């Protein structure tokens, strides 16, 4: 089944300095070696095709996609280092752990690709020699501001035992040496895996490192199966560890937190044993057993990879069997842990190896799903230092904060200042008042004296005018008189003062009256200003009195208004009564009936006149004596009647006029009634206003009292709060002192430690 996947791009030369865990998936590259002579001899054909320009491998019906594909028609194998490994070296220098794993069946080119069989002189372009070269190039470039400590170790895992390839060089024969002592795997308290007593050789140059690699390669246990005479059936792990310490000369460029930064990172270069199944090796006996052991590591590795590669299992927190083999325990960080990892799957293109090649490709495909979380590895002591440092900073800032005082304290102080200021002002004013009073008194005394003198002089003058001699006058001013005058004068002054005071109070009263009459809003404003904390203490009593006075004057005024209204009402009602006295409706009826009667009378008369005229007309046609007489008679009667009619008409007019007048007075009464109604409602309104006003005053007074109480309470609370804050401040100071002492102790300890470390390292170097 083809399982084409989207090609992924490996970030080139990524040198991310972030110390946050980076979620990286394991990058997988496939390296297809060319057909080698033995295969060509056997007449094998190429069964692997690489899609040109795509990281895609096709074998039979299977299609696989990886991060990179090298060899065959893909990228040139010489690009493996540049594209896959160089970024790892960069990361190594940034403090990340890195790993390169070579996987594949025996004879697929793992050792060739890794360069594990380094012999010293032949630079066949394997990965490890290139890594060594790059590391030292970089270290040399950074020498100015960074101290490096580079160490290497080289181990192999053979038959589930770990052996140190750098131990006791030269004495180990080419064949498997049973005398070799296996190394124990230990787990430290923080969960990292170490090898007890493994040789970690410090190297100062590329040549030194190459020497160790060559020596280890030599001592590597190799045997021969019918697959490949040179291939190894053991896992080999070459580890380069780098410790970097930034020297102080670089402190100016780096942030101060990096001044003491010590980064330690490891590069694992792993050449795994052949992945082929035991049955295909054709070996039996001891070799088969070896094969089983070799494959135990690979089997465990496969299980780890599938446990880590399955997204569903990973999310469920499924168990990862790292402990199933020594290999997986040692590579725990490289697979799904704190490391940036690249896997290189090596395959042979020969059709005879097709089955194993497909297995390898599937295995490699699964490894792509592994998510690692790489972090920058800082020295634990440095990390502790940094922690203490930041703690110290925090405490310092805290102290600063508490020194400057919290907001509440500040407010309290402000209030206290205000209060004292106002108190001072108050006392000053009081002093001034006293002074003024005193000077007033003095002036009054002087006025009395002057008045007295004047009066005396006037008396004398009067006496002189009356013709008394000077001596008499001098003697006449008896003591009694003077005293009497004095008392009179002082009494007069007293009375004058009384008068001015009275005048003043009335003036005040009037002023207040006007002010109060303005509006309620102003009253509220006054209330508002009365609430101000600062002025309250001083002006409260004065305010209160003023308010009281205002209130009473308002009440007085309103009462007066009410009385006025009452008077007006009474007047109107009296008027109304007058109207009511002459029963107008009866009068009107009377007049109307009379009018009616007159109308009827008038009509009767008119009819009579008509009749008479008729009769007259008849008579005039007959011309005789008696009819003449009758005619005269009729005429007389007619004129009389006409007279009566005109009189009646006059009377009627007069009546009409009377009626109109009556209507007018009725209207006036109506108006009066309305007015009375209006006054009444006004009165009600006024009464309501009075009530409202007194209610307002009452509530104002209550609020005022409450406010004073509350302010007193607040003052007490503030004082208490201040005491609390002071206590807290004291406590924080003590904590800070303790922490500072702790920090200095830690610094001292660290210094001692570094000193000791350095002295031992120097001793070791010699
Ligand atoms: P493995 O370590 O996987 O068992 P080797 O690295 O020993 O395999 O390689 C087996 C043989 O194939 C060696 O003789 C090696 O020279 C040869 N070989 C491997 N890869 C290549 C390559 N890319 N080009 C030419 N020859 C290669
Ligand atoms: Mg090999």
């Amino acid at each position: 089944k083809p399982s084409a996947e989207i090609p992924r791009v490996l970030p080139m030369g990524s040198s991310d300095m972030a110390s946050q865990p980076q979620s990286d998936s394991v990058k997988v590259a496939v390296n297809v070696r060319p057909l080698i002579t033995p295969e060509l001899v056997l007449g094998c054909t190429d069964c692997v095709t690489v899609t040109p320009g795509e990281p895609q491998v096709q074998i039979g019906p299977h299609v696989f996609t990886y991060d990179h594909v090298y060899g065959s028609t893909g990228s040139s194998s010489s690009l493996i280092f540049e594209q896959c490994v160089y970024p790892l070296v960069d990361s190594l220098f940034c403090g990340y752990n890195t790993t390169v794993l070579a996987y594949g069946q025996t004879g697929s080119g793992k050792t060739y690709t890794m360069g594990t069989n380094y012999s010293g002189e032949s630079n066949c372009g394997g990965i490890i020699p290139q890594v060594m070269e790059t590391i030292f190039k970089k270290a040399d470039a950074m020498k100015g501001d960074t101290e490096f400590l580079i160490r290497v170790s080289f181990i192999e895992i053979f038959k589930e035992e770990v052996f140190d390839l750098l131990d006791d060089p030269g004495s180990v024969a080419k064949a498997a040496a049973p005398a070799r002592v296996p190394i124990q795997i230990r787990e430290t308290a923080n969960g990292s895996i170490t090898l007890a007593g493994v040789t970690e050789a410090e190297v100062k140059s590329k040549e030194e490192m190459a020497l160790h690699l060559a020596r280890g390669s030599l001592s590597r246990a190799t045997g021969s199966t019918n697959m490949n005479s040179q291939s190894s059936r053991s896992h080999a792990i070459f580890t380069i560890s780098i410790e970097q310490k930034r020297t102080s000369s670089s402190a100016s460029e780096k942030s101060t937190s990096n001044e003491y930064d010590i980064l330690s990172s490891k590069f694992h270069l792993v050449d795994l044993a052949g992945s082929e199944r035991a049955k295909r090796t054709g070996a039996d006996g001891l070799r088969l057993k070896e094969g089983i052991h070799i494959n135990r590591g690979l089997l465990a590795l496969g299980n780890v990879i599938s446990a880590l590669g399955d997204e569903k299992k990973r999310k469920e927190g499924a168990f990862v069997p790292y402990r199933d083999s020594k290999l997986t325990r040692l590579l725990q960080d490289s697979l799904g842990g704190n490391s940036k990892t690249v896997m290189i799957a090596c395959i042979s293109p020969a059709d005879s190896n097709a089955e194993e090649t497909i297995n390898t490709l599937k295995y490699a495909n699964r490894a792509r799903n592994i998510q690692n979380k790489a972090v920058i590895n800082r020295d634990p002591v440095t990390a502790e230092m940094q922690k203490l440092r930041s703690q110290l900073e925090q405490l310092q800032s805290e102290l600063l904060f508490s020194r400057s005082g919290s907001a509440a304290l500040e407010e309290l102080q402000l209030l206290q200042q205000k209060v004292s200021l106002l108190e001072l002002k108050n006392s000053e004013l009081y002093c001034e008042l006293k002074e003024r009073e005193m000077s007033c008194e003095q002036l009054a005394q002087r006025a009395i004296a002057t008045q007295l003198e004047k009066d005396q002089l006037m008396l004398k003058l009067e006496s002189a005018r009356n013709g008394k001699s000077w001596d008499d006058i001098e003697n006449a001013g008896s003591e009694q008189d003077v005293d009497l005058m004095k008392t009179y004068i002082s009494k007069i002054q007293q009375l004058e003062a009384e008068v001015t005071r009275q005048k003043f109070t009335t003036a005040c009263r009037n002023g207040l009256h006007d002010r109060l009459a303005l509006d309620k809003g102003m009253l509220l404003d006054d209330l508002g200003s009365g609430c101000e904390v600062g002025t309250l203490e001083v002006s409260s009593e004065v305010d209160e009195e003023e308010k009281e006075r205002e209130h009473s004057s308002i009440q007085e005024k309103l009462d007066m208004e009410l009385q006025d209204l009452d008077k007006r009402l009474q007047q109107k009602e009296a008027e109304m009564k007058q109207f009511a006295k002459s029963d107008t409706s009866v009068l009107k009826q009377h007049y109307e009936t009379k009018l009616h009667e007159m109308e009827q009378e008038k009509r009767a008369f008119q009819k009579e006149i008509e009749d008479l005229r008729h009769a007259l007309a008849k008579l005039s046609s007959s011309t005789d004596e008696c009819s003449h007489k009758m005619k005269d008679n009729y005429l007389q009667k007619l004129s009389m009647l006409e007279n009566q009619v005109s009189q009646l008409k006059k009377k009627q007019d007069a009546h009409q006029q009377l009626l109109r007048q009556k209507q007018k007075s009725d209207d006036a009464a109506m108006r009066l009634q309305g007015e009375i109604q209006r006054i009444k409602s006004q009165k009600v309104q006024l009464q309501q206003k009075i009530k409202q006003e007194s209610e307002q005053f009452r509530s104002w007074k209550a609020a005022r009292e409450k406010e004073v109480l509350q302010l007193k309470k607040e003052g007490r609370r503030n004082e208490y709060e201040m005491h609390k804050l002071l206590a807290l401040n004291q406590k924080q100071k003590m904590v800070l002192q303790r922490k500072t002492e702790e920090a200095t102790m830690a610094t001292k300890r660290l210094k001692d430690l570094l000193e000791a470390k350095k002295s031992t390292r120097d001793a070791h170097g010699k």
Side-chain angles (χ1 to χ4, degrees), residues 33-34 36 105-113 228 231-232 271:
R33 70 154 165 74
I36 50 171
Q105 73 174 119
T106 300
S108 60
K110 302 182 296 295
T111 305
Y112 183 92
T113 307
N228 187 308
S231 81
S232 141
D271 180 5

Side-chain angles (χ1 to χ4, degrees), residues 459-724:
L459 268 176
K460 276 177 192 170
L461 200 67
E462 193 70 22
S463 306
R465 272 205 193 115
N466 288 346
K468 281 191 182 172
S469 77
W470 189 246
D471 287 346
D472 280 352
I473 294 164
E474 280 287 86
N475 296 335
S478 66
E479 285 294 306
Q480 261 185 352
D481 284 349
V482 173
D483 277 351
L484 198 71
M485 247 150 61
K486 239 186 204 166
T487 45
Y488 275 138
I489 288 167
S490 64
K491 199 143 203 175
I492 285 164
Q493 274 195 339
Q494 258 176 29
L495 284 169
E496 266 174 1
E498 185 84 16
V499 166
T500 45
R501 216 176 57 228
Q502 288 286 352
K503 263 186 194 162
F504 178 72
T505 43
T506 42
C508 268
R509 223 166 249 224
N510 286 343
L512 284 169
H513 238 194
D514 294 346
R515 236 175 87 205
L516 277 166
L518 279 179
D519 62 352
K520 208 166 78 185
M522 219 156 113
L523 192 117
L524 285 173
D525 269 3
D526 279 3
L527 271 173
S529 71
C531 291
E532 259 181 56
V533 181
T535 55
L536 189 77
E537 320 280 280
V538 179
S539 63
S540 91
E541 246 141 79
V542 180
D543 262 12
E544 205 118 0
E545 268 175 32
E546 204 169 286
K547 214 86 212 178
E548 208 109 36
R549 237 181 289 134
E550 271 176 38
H551 172 67
S552 58
S553 68
I554 285 179
Q555 290 287 10
E556 241 168 67
K557 199 179 148 217
L558 290 173
D559 275 343
M560 254 153 72
E561 256 177 66
L562 193 67
Q563 275 170 15
D564 194 40
L565 268 177
D566 271 341
K567 233 187 257 166
R568 260 168 65 198
L569 194 67
Q570 273 171 10
Q571 207 179 323
K572 293 281 168 185
E573 271 174 347
E575 267 179 58
M576 199 58 208
K577 236 177 231 161
Q578 262 183 357
F579 272 111
K581 241 187 232 158
S582 50
D583 197 346
T584 51
S585 62
V586 175
L587 201 77
K588 196 176 164 187
Q589 220 166 6
H590 169 75
Y591 275 121
E592 267 168 4
T593 46
K594 204 145 192 197
L595 210 63
H596 196 69
E597 273 169 28
M598 274 196 238
E599 186 81 23
Q600 242 151 24
E601 212 173 329
K602 185 178 128 193
R603 241 177 244 151
F605 277 135
Q606 267 170 345
K607 208 178 164 213
E608 216 170 319
I609 287 168
E610 205 71 20
D611 286 349
L612 275 173
R613 272 193 187 137
H614 267 288
L616 206 66
K618 246 189 238 161
L619 275 180
S620 59
S621 59
S622 58
T623 49
D624 50 25
E625 201 70 17
C626 96
S627 63
H628 233 337
K629 245 188 197 164
M630 251 172 90
K631 194 182 165 185
D632 280 343
N633 211 352
Y634 276 142
L635 272 172
Q636 241 172 20
K637 218 175 182 178
L638 195 70
S639 65
M640 204 179 71
L641 273 173
E642 270 171 346
N643 234 346
Q644 264 177 352
V645 167
S646 68
Q647 256 171 21
L648 253 175
K649 236 179 202 162
K650 255 182 220 159
K651 246 188 199 170
Q652 211 175 7
D653 280 351
H655 273 172
Q656 212 101 41
Q657 205 151 1
L658 254 173
L659 254 173
R660 265 206 293 281
Q661 241 166 24
K662 169 75 184 83
Q663 194 63 42
K664 250 190 219 158
S665 76
D666 270 359
D667 283 354
M670 206 75 123
R671 264 209 309 283
L672 215 72
Q673 192 74 41
E675 220 163 317
I676 286 166
Q677 212 57 45
R678 221 180 49 240
I679 289 169
K680 267 184 185 164
S681 73
Q682 232 171 337
K683 188 180 160 186
V684 169
Q685 264 175 13
L686 198 67
Q687 272 166 339
Q688 256 169 7
K689 204 167 151 194
I690 289 167
K691 220 166 118 191
Q692 215 175 355
E693 205 272 338
S694 61
E695 197 68 42
Q696 245 170 36
F697 177 74
R698 230 191 7 253
S699 67
W700 172 80
K701 206 166 171 184
R704 190 51 188 271
E705 271 161 12
K706 207 168 133 194
E707 217 170 323
V708 167
L709 253 155
Q710 206 162 3
L711 271 167
K712 272 185 192 159
K713 219 165 108 189
E714 209 172 316
R716 275 203 301 277
R717 211 177 45 229
N718 277 347
E719 209 168 329
Y720 171 72
E721 206 78 35
M722 193 175 77
H723 277 302
K724 229 169 71 184

